[in-house]
């Protein structure tokens, strides 16, 4: 399973990605962000994916989102 497959997996009524972005938009705490990062890391280990690629994707998505919000220059 790739990172995108994992993030786009349906959970109840929406995707994991939608749940993440909803939490992000509602002021996700540092502790909660760490839970997401740990979950992504564990998924990568369970499925023999490169944890480096998963972390790079998460960081890129967060960086893109922060750039769009003007929080990173």
């Amino acid at each position: 399973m790739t990172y995108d497959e994992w993030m786009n997996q349906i959970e109840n009524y929406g995707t994991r990605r939608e749940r993440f972005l909803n939490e992000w938009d509602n002021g996700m705490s540092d502790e909660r962000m760490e839970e997401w990062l740990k979950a992504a890391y564990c998924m990568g280990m369970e499925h023999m994916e490169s944890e480096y690629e998963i972390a790079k994707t998460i960081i890129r998505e967060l960086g893109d989102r922060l750039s769009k919000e003007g929080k990173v220059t």
Side-chain angles (χ1 to χ4, degrees), residues 17-40:
R17 184 180 309 276
E18 290 168 332
R19 183 165 57 92
F20 171 81
L21 293 175
N22 184 50
E23 288 186 41
W24 176 265
D25 289 341
N26 289 297
M28 182 184 293
S29 68
D30 292 345
E31 292 81 13
R32 186 65 179 139
M33 176 60 70
E34 188 173 348
E35 290 174 12
W36 274 97
L37 291 170
K38 285 180 181 178

Side-chain angles (χ1 to χ4, degrees), residues 24-25 64-72:
W24 176 265
D25 289 341
D64 290 349
R65 187 149 179 95
L66 288 171
S67 292
K68 288 177 185 174
E69 294 175 3
K71 295 181 180 177
V72 173

Side-chain angles (χ1 to χ4, degrees), residues 38-66:
K38 285 180 181 178
Y41 176 84
C42 289
M43 180 281 304
M45 293 301 289
E46 289 171 11
H47 297 281
M48 303 300 287
E49 295 288 337
S50 166
E51 62 272 14
Y52 172 76
E53 289 300 319
I54 293 168
K56 188 170 74 173
T57 302
I58 291 170
I59 291 166
R60 185 181 67 241
E61 283 191 8
L62 292 175
D64 290 349
R65 187 149 179 95
L66 288 171

